Amino acid sequence: MKKKTFIVERKNNSFLSTKILRIMKLSIFLFLLTFMQVFAIDSYSQKTKLSLDMNNATVEDVLNKIEDQSEFFFLFSPKMVDVSRKVNIKLEGNKIDDALNQLFNGTEIAYLVIDRQIVLSSHEQMVPFITAIQQEITITGKVTDEEGNTLPGVNIIIKGTLTGTITDVDGNFSIEVEDPEAVLVFTFIGMLTQEIKVGDQTEINITMAQDIIGLEEVVAIGYGTLRKSDLTGAIFSIKTEKLQDIPNTNILQGLQGNIPGLVVANTQSAPGASPQIRIRGENSLSASNNPLIILDGIPFEGNLNDISTNDIESASVLKDASAAAIYGARAANGVIIITTKRGKEGRPQINYSGYFGVQTPEKILDMMDGSQYFQLKVDVAKNKGNVTDFSPEAILNSAELPQYYAGTETDWQDLVLRTAPQHEHNLSVSGGSDRTAYYTSLGFLDQKGIMKYSGMKRVTLRSNIDHEINDWLKTGVNLQLTNLDLSGFIYSKDEDFPGKLPDFADALRISPYGQLKDNTGRYTFYPEFPNTFYAYTNPFANDGSTSDNVAKRAIVTLFGEIDFPFLEGLSYRLNYGLDYRNQEIGNYWPSYTYYGFQFKGIAETNNDNQRRWTWDNILKYTKDIGDHHINFTGLFSRESFSRKRYQQEGRGFINDDNLYQYLESADSKEIFSSLTETDLVSYMARINYNFKYKYFLTATGRRDGYSGFGKNNKYGFFPSVALGWIPTQEGFMQNAESLKFIDYLKIRVSFGENGNMGISPYQTLDAFRTRNYVFGNNPVTVNGLELNTVGNPDLKWESTFTFNIGIDYVILNSRISGTLDYYQSHSNDLLMTRRLPVMNGYTSILYNIGETENKGFEFNLNTINMQKNKFEWTTNLNFSLNRDKIVELRGDGKDDLANNWFIGEPLRVFYDYNMVGIWQTGDDIADSHMPSTVPGSPKLEDVNSDGKLTADDRIILGSQLPSWVGGMTNIFSYGNWSLSVFINTVQGILKIDNIEGTYIDVPYWREDRPSNEFKARGITEPVGHGTYRDASYVRIKNASLSYNFPKKTLDKLRIANLRLYLSGQNLYTFTDWLGFDPEADKIDVAYYDGPYPNPRTIVVGINLGF
Amino acid sequence: MFLMLVGTLLLPSCEDDYLTEKPRSFLAPENTFMNTKGFETTLTGLHIQVQREWGWAGGNGLTYMHFFIGTDICISGNATPFYTVFESYGDDIHPTNGQVAGHWDFYYKAIGNANLIIEAAENPDVKWDYPEDKNRVIAEARFFRGYNYRALIAFFGDVPLVDKLEKPFRLDYTRQPVADILDFMIEDFKFAAEHLPDLGAIDGKIAKAAAQHMLAETYLWAGQPDLAEQAAQDIINSGLYQLMTERFGQKAGEPGDVYSDLFIEHNQNRGSGNLETIWAVQQEYSVLGGGGQDDGHNDWSRRGWVPNYAAVPGMVLADSLGGRGIGRLVPLQWWLDSYEPQDIRASKYNIKREYWYNDPTSDNFGQKVEITQEWLNLGKLYPTTTKFYFGKADDLNFLSNLKDRYKIRLAETYLLLAEAQMLQNKNTEAATSINVVRARSNASPVDPADVDMDYILDERAKELLGEYHRRFTLVRTGTLLDRVRRLNPKSKDGIRDYHVRWPIPQTAIDANSGAVLEQNPGY
């Protein structure tokens, strides 16, 4: 067993052995003892046997005799202890206790044995210390779950102390307590905590009950953890166990629809893409709206694809000001805390989990075939009105005609899409001895994309090690190594995210009669119009290009934690995190490709190095004074980030063989390098206080200094307060019969202020932009500089003030539980560009001025619908509703049409003409407000009824952010079978619909085929306007069926657990949206970059544990 | 021990350093304006801005078009509303038009950069390579400042006069009369003429003559033809420049004439033997900094003047037809008809009038194309200048014209001189000046009695079509309304008297909240 031992070897020659000490004031000694009480008692007194036989001897003689016989020595004040008293004593190999009992039984004298020292004093004076330094009672026992399975790794601590142990692999434990009054607290994740008073028991066997509601769950709150029942802020935590059957490559995908208040949008479905995350809407107009992500205590930037979902234990989402305030200046958009798995004491556990699956496009669009396409072209030509010849020769382009005559049609969509395999394997070993615990895993993921050429390969290694050097010093290391291979994508120079190859948008807007390959067998550049720049390019025009793209990342976190021996409850923790990421990209476009053609080959290499270190000093103090429970956390932290990029580009090569490996042979070369550095200094203090676990208070203050802000405003301070109350702990509720159905109720209120520093660095400085020029006919490129930005030295944080009120409840014997939250937030000092008179020499400056508001409501509901015999049906329901609005923009009360920002309206809106139908043949167009239009064209609303269609008739059509989102998981289990179905929905979201730019087969207006929804093609409209469509959807996001092999079977095979499952992702979507995926952001067929269709993934998987 | 460590770190002394940003991967004024090299690099920035004047596409502005559309020499072809509103006039030109604001911003930004240099050069701590660098740098910056004010007054008339980059910003600008701006420009050009070297250190740099030429034009604008005449004479008398009269350069041995030689790639710089060039903006194909997509600008003149002939069935892109044109600008018939038959400026090398079907797969291959009025209207096919041909056989879709572009050549100096002389009623001298230009092209000499403003403007069109801001010349000479009403069929009905000035952009008016920036009348 583990003991809080702090052994101090003392021989007789130690300072205490001198007799001088005997006259030392006992009170002083006893005072010293209070510091020693943390040192547990050595067993010398238990082992030493004494033999004595003295009659009518003075006590002093007896004591001297004992000192002679042993290493014991006595400390007492002769004033208090009458050592001249005569006694009889007989010992035959007895322990010292027996001797002392014989000597002092029935007297006023009490004794205390501390190692080899024995203190004698009056009972009265000794009592407080005796209780503190009691004799030990060894308690042993076994912990099991309700089904009788032993539970290894259960935490057992003596209440009010830091002393504790954990159960071994067989669920057994042994702990020594010093007092029958001691209470043992048994805690285990997922189980209800139990407190057992020792009394006179020496064997305690307990059965732990499952904590269905999770009140006992320990939740990461940032710089520490807290029991869920002690929380005051709006924090929602999820165990990733729940997500184990779902083939997510990124943990954020798994959070979608599972956490109220969190909106996850898989705006890009390409392998390696990161979803967009919003917590409680958007506050900021110009700065980032991304939440802060904390991985194992340190800020994580970048793509969570770098971390295997298998290694993640839990994710907590901090939503309100109070919860997030510990991260002050970066907390305004909320915080997601991700915790990875750690080892537990016990036999090594080996786990393998893996799946193999296939991905197919969730939706294949109906494309026009050749005849439909030709008909469309004819209809367009008729509507354009300047053509009378509708023969193929007149309608089709010269490059299309050969295919038309030959009857060859190309299904471009089919060519760029494919069925793609995906498999993942993860092997982990975890376990630990009494002082060291470890979790090590190796993961491998290979995902081919459903769009040709795309894919991702990932290898991860994680090792988390905790080690107790001694009773007061703990240390540990987390190591994460990742190799992420996204080769196959072509990086575009301007964006961090890869552009796609092939360009899917073009696959939807090239004629089925387009020419795929030319007569040399090469892919054509322009399948329709070989001569014209405006033609769409062949999605395969860059076929043959090379794109190597490998990122390597190492995240190392070291920590040391000291429990200060001199003050119980005080500890210090040092965290040092180092995150290093290197990405190397090498692209080559051969001279025969579209992109490489003009320059006779283009090569490009790009090396991106990012380094972030975080250094946290955390001081904690925990103190219980009676019913007052105080927990203080203080922080001093520094964080430093640097990013170095080196990019080289060469154009014009002799051959296509060297790819990007021989850039110096290029005709023209371009280099680019950059350095970005940011630094953050932070101080934070937080107090968690509760009275009787009934009334709770959390107060937090954080001060941050950020290098990216103006020299006059480097620092910001962010305070917050939260209160909690558990009425079910009050007598009136416990006694009231009518309220008996309420098992648990907690009311939380919080308010506070947080910051948003989501802007790029260097914006407070003046800066030139480098451009190039050549002088003379033998040109050597020279640099020129132009003023790019003029900085604002007053630039500071955006700040968001949030009020939150929430309820946590458990009712009807835990059949129903959940949370409700309502919040309001107000953001000030929004970072905005202010337009200036250009006569200053520059047109804009970034400054803090705008204001926005968010309010919303969210709930989470868990129900046990049915629980009969071996059958159970549970439901988890999440709902989030957010309403956002702009309160003020630039202080002048004016809307900003250029950005579509309107005061009093949501942050992201579409502002345009309102299409209310289609003009039909026979309508009185001439006398309408759109006299110059023709049948088949959209009927735009004359909003102000002035009989004319003017710019004033534009209105706000809707928000680009959803009005509500929800998720529902139903789990049906029968015996060892379990079926889980997860449905998520996004409602009330408007997106641009550009389907008319494509050859997707949707009906369009024709005189013989009128429609009130789809306009005619090829008509000229009097005013330009967009087409918008509701992108609400309900999606069967996931269904998984799993089977747990029975324990009996497995025991024979020496297997701890075995699960098999079949899981399907993106199974079906109910939506009116006409494109691939209502969730994607590139829903429209944009000019250069198209959507990536959503994959449907079906996998079979296995979890195997030894 | 840890507490002590923590305590040390809490000391605030080092923190301010820690949070101070240092510009490392970019240059800022404070770490640039330190020495001659820093100033030279920012001066190059001013050259680059002028390079983009011929075709930056910001705000959807096909900026090159605005110098020609709605004037007396061309109409729109392959039309887009981005520039046709400036041709139809009427009520179509608005203060909210992006092109209007685009030009306003473009020139004021350039002026801001020039002001920044002029002010920084006065810093006594600058480490100049040679003491005279200071005035040379200021001279070049003042040259560009004057050059950019010229465009502002041409487009907008009275404009705010700004002589420094304001920090913190100002919101109370007001407009100054054109006369004040002209005086300011004259001072800039005089300083530049005094301190610039006789010849630029390298082709493309600004030489003394460029400043004298701009000074001559500005004096004319300010109604001081005598001073203008002197400035122009100074250039001619320097002996450094002369009109090219013999074949020269890259294709001197190929069919052509001396006028076509002027527009052959790599024939514009003095280094190629061209002594007529006073200032050419530098461009270079397939060289970084030479222009094109990667440099954020395309010289739009090729796309403007070369027809969109590939849209004609039976015709495909060809280098010999100038590469890929899109037919934005269609020269007017009067211009085509204005040349004498022997005038080499109208030779087949310089004006393309006839086309042949060139698609080998076409039934009409090799036959002559009859240009239809419809094709002409749509910009598909029409007779045009070959000055901006830029065909690359292996890169037919290439967008730009990347020949060096004349900003000032001596032929124009002669025409400015003639204008100055004519305005002083020295018609004989004026005719002599014009005839220097005409003689080179084998055109018959002009009779002094025929020299008037119209004659000079016609001659400028014949000599300089597409090279110079035609609109500026017409505004400067006060002839815009008259000539457009007489010569431009598409604009003559729409143009109103107030159209001589563009509207002041609404963005500038709105942003200038501390004072009223008066709108031009009519808008």
Side-chain angles (χ1 to χ4, degrees), chain A residues 531 598 600 615 651 675 683 707 714-715 762 766 768 773-774 776-777 781 786-787 835 840 842, chain B residues 9 15 19 21 25 27-28 41 52 105 113 166-167 170 173 203 266 269 282 288 294 316 394-395:
Chain A
N531 263 332
Q598 184 187 320
K600 300 183 181 63
W615 183 47
R651 295 172 169 197
L675 170 72
Y683 311 85
S707 57
K714 288 281 185 205
Y715 285 89
Y762 308 118
D766 301 349
F768 285 122
Y773 196 58
V774 289
N777 277 359
T781 302
E786 282 174 16
L787 194 62
R835 194 171 169 93
N840 286 292
Y842 47 100
Chain B
L9 294 165
E15 275 177 22
L19 293 180
E21 292 191 312
S25 71
L27 287 160
T41 312
R52 279 187 293 154
D105 290 0
N113 278 278
E166 297 282 354
K167 264 192 84 180
R170 269 179 64 185
Y173 289 97
D203 281 335
H266 292 133
N269 279 332
Q282 303 293 298
L288 187 66
D294 283 2
V316 293
D394 57 355
D395 190 8

Side-chain angles (χ1 to χ4, degrees), chain B residues 414-415 417-419 421-422 426-439 444-452 455-456:
Chain B
Y414 275 108
L415 295 177
L417 175 64
E419 189 180 328
Q421 290 161 331
M422 182 272 293
K426 300 195 273 190
N427 273 32
T428 312
E429 290 91 333
T432 308
S433 300
I434 293 168
N435 287 334
V436 175
V437 177
R438 287 182 62 82
S444 48
V446 61
D447 186 325
D450 293 339
V451 176
D452 60 9
Y455 184 87
I456 292 172

Side-chain angles (χ1 to χ4, degrees), chain A residues 353-369:
Chain A
S353 62
Y355 62 77
F356 184 88
V358 286
Q359 307 161 84
T360 49
E362 190 201 328
K363 187 169 176 183
I364 302 271
L365 298 170
D366 283 339
M367 300 302 294
M368 292 180 184
D369 62 18

Side-chain angles (χ1 to χ4, degrees), chain A residues 49-53 65 69 90-94:
Chain A
K49 307 278 191 280
L50 300 167
S51 296
L52 272 182
D53 191 358
K65 197 82 181 173
Q69 226 182 68
K90 182 167 180 164
L91 302 170
E92 290 169 336
N94 292 49

Side-chain angles (χ1 to χ4, degrees), chain B residues 269-347:
Chain B
N269 279 332
R270 204 175 170 85
S272 66
N274 183 338
L275 300 181
E276 189 170 329
T277 307
I278 294 175
W279 176 30
V281 160
Q282 303 293 298
Q283 306 195 116
E284 208 68 46
Y285 177 68
S286 195
V287 174
L288 187 66
Q293 288 294 70
D294 283 2
D295 289 315
H297 98 107
N298 287 298
D299 179 343
W300 236 263
S301 52
R302 200 266 302 268
R303 314 180 81 185
W305 297 106
V306 176
N308 187 19
Y309 58 88
V312 172
M315 290 193 75
V316 293
L317 294 176
D319 57 329
S320 59
L321 294 176
R324 182 171 169 271
I326 52 179
R328 299 286 194 205
L329 300 172
V330 180
L332 283 164
Q333 193 63 35
W334 76 260
W335 171 79
L336 283 166
D337 297 343
S338 68
Y339 294 98
E340 296 169 310
Q342 80 279 13
D343 190 331
I344 62 168
R345 295 174 297 191
S347 74

Side-chain angles (χ1 to χ4, degrees), chain B residues 120-128:
Chain B
E122 296 296 344
N123 181 353
D125 297 332
V126 175
K127 294 191 176 58
W128 300 105

